[in-house]
Amino acid sequence: MGKQRVLSGVQPTGNLHLGNYLGAIRNWVEGQSQYDNFFCVVDLHAITAPYDPTTLASNTYKIAALYLACGIDLEYSSIFIQSHIAAHSELTWLFNCITPINWLTDMIQFKEKAVRQGENVNTGLMDYPVLMAADILLYDADKVPVGEDQKQHLELTRDIAVRINHQFGNSEQPILKLPDPLIRKEGARVMSLTDGTKKMSKSDPSDLSRINLLDSPDEIQKKIKRCKTDPIKGLEFDNPERPECNNLLTLYMLLSQKTKEAVAAECQDMGWGQFKPLFTQATLAALEPIQQKYQAVMDDKGYLESVLREGKEKAEAIANGTLLRVKAAMGYSMPL
């Protein structure tokens, strides 16, 4: 038996931040040798909210370069751009026609984002989980790295696969493979620097709420100086009354690559004035090699394009095979 396949992606909506890195990309890197990996830049998802068309393409290439800078190894992984493979859009339409609307209107993220968008909610925002299902099922993914907030989307992906298999296949020859979540406990949900009860997000209007992977040392130092803390001396994990304390200690633990026990012992008698310089130093040390590699990749446009071209060719062969399998099962004539 070959390796199990992993599929994941990130939207090209601005710079990646520590939440994206620690909650997703670093986990991909650490486990990539165990799997056959496909990592895409999900630019079709990026237009479900208001966006700037003049920066969409450049941001897409920026995310691909950051994948490489963070340590995605082409020996184990393929990197490609979602919109470069038409099968994503076509399979989404086929799935749309067997997916009940109430499955989509019940999605928690849709309800939350629809409130923020007000009267300008587009159909794509509601249909986002169906496109996500197509992304995953096209590649017969065994595992999908997801945070806790994405588990509902993966459950819907499995529901869509079950419905396709039930309506158009049989139990002995299922059409689509049901994927499982791949969740890492520590760091799976990195919280905001300005509110320890909210997830770190690119959509937060305050840039002070997140540390971006490409922030300068001065910007990082300023954000950590201004991050929200509490008046209590002595730092501790897992106290529900101190969400910011738990978040900052967790970030320090993950960036310094120390154990939870070591960090708890090191920081138990500290005040914030002692801790913040340590946190700053660990952050700078962790991000410096990523920033250097990113710049080297961006300076060699031909190399980045070759990576994406090869990734597209490999991904497209698999995706088109899955699409034809689904279309045949649903009764379509095959292309002449």
Side-chain angles (χ1 to χ4, degrees), residues 239-293:
N239 183 339
E241 302 296 319
R242 305 181 69 187
E244 287 78 23
C245 184
N246 184 68
N247 183 46
L248 296 176
L249 283 181
T250 300
L251 284 171
Y252 175 59
M253 175 189 71
L254 293 167
L255 291 168
S256 65
Q257 300 193 45
K258 297 179 180 180
T259 65
K260 187 173 184 177
E261 293 74 19
V263 171
E266 179 185 13
C267 301
Q268 61 182 344
D269 298 321
M270 281 188 184
W272 292 110
Q274 292 172 278
F275 173 77
K276 285 187 176 182
L278 282 178
F279 180 29
T280 301
Q281 185 178 16
T283 304
L284 294 176
L287 295 187
E288 183 180 14
I290 293 173
Q291 294 180 355
Q292 290 177 347
K293 178 69 182 296

Side-chain angles (χ1 to χ4, degrees), residues 199-217:
K199 185 180 174 184
M200 188 177 287
S201 172
K202 287 183 280 188
S203 62
D204 192 308
S206 173
D207 195 51
L208 292 174
S209 68
R210 56 191 171 269
I211 294 175
N212 302 306
L213 297 192
L214 299 179
D215 279 346
S216 69

Side-chain angles (χ1 to χ4, degrees), residues 52-262:
D52 182 355
T54 65
T55 61
L56 179 60
S58 61
N59 283 342
T60 298
Y61 282 92
K62 178 188 289 187
I63 299 301
L66 278 168
Y67 283 175
L68 293 166
C70 289
I72 296 299
D73 189 334
L74 300 178
E75 181 179 351
Y76 310 113
S77 306
S78 299
I79 300 171
F80 65 97
I81 296 172
Q82 180 192 32
S83 67
H84 291 185
I85 299 177
H88 287 260
S89 300
E90 188 171 354
L91 189 62
T92 299
W93 175 253
L94 300 180
F95 285 173
N96 279 341
C97 295
I98 62 94
T99 302
I101 288 179
N102 67 290
W103 286 9
L104 305 180
T105 55
D106 287 344
M107 301 298 285
I108 295 170
Q109 283 206 356
F110 169 71
K111 291 178 180 178
E112 293 175 348
K113 292 181 179 180
V115 169
R116 290 201 295 268
Q117 290 192 21
E119 294 181 0
N120 293 319
V121 175
N122 59 61
T123 304
L125 183 65
M126 184 173 70
D127 207 34
Y128 179 111
V130 182
L131 176 57
M132 183 175 170
D135 297 338
I136 295 166
L137 297 172
L138 273 173
Y139 298 96
D140 291 325
D142 297 284
K143 303 283 186 182
V144 182
V146 292
E148 290 292 336
D149 60 324
Q150 290 285 340
K151 283 182 69 176
Q152 190 184 30
H153 285 174
L154 187 59
E155 289 164 5
L156 182 125
T157 297
R158 289 171 59 89
D159 289 342
I160 289 173
V162 167
R163 177 165 279 214
I164 288 281
N165 289 341
H166 176 72
Q167 289 188 207
F168 305 105
N170 59 67
S171 58
E172 295 182 2
Q173 284 190 311
I175 301 159
L176 296 169
K177 179 181 289 188
L178 272 63
D180 292 314
L182 188 61
I183 298 175
R184 175 174 171 169
K185 289 182 67 176
E186 296 292 356
R189 191 172 172 84
V190 174
M191 312 308 281
S192 166
L193 296 183
T194 54
D195 184 345
T197 66
K198 293 183 179 178
K199 185 180 174 184
M200 188 177 287
S201 172
K202 287 183 280 188
S203 62
D204 192 308
S206 173
D207 195 51
L208 292 174
S209 68
R210 56 191 171 269
I211 294 175
N212 302 306
L213 297 192
L214 299 179
D215 279 346
S216 69
D218 286 346
E219 289 173 319
I220 291 169
Q221 187 173 27
K222 180 181 75 172
K223 289 178 179 181
I224 291 176
K225 276 186 176 180
R226 296 186 180 181
C227 68
K228 185 178 179 182
T229 58
D230 56 40
I232 304 171
K233 184 174 181 179
L235 309 184
E236 58 185 332
F237 286 101
D238 302 323
N239 183 339
E241 302 296 319
R242 305 181 69 187
E244 287 78 23
C245 184
N246 184 68
N247 183 46
L248 296 176
L249 283 181
T250 300
L251 284 171
Y252 175 59
M253 175 189 71
L254 293 167
L255 291 168
S256 65
Q257 300 193 45
K258 297 179 180 180
T259 65
K260 187 173 184 177
E261 293 74 19

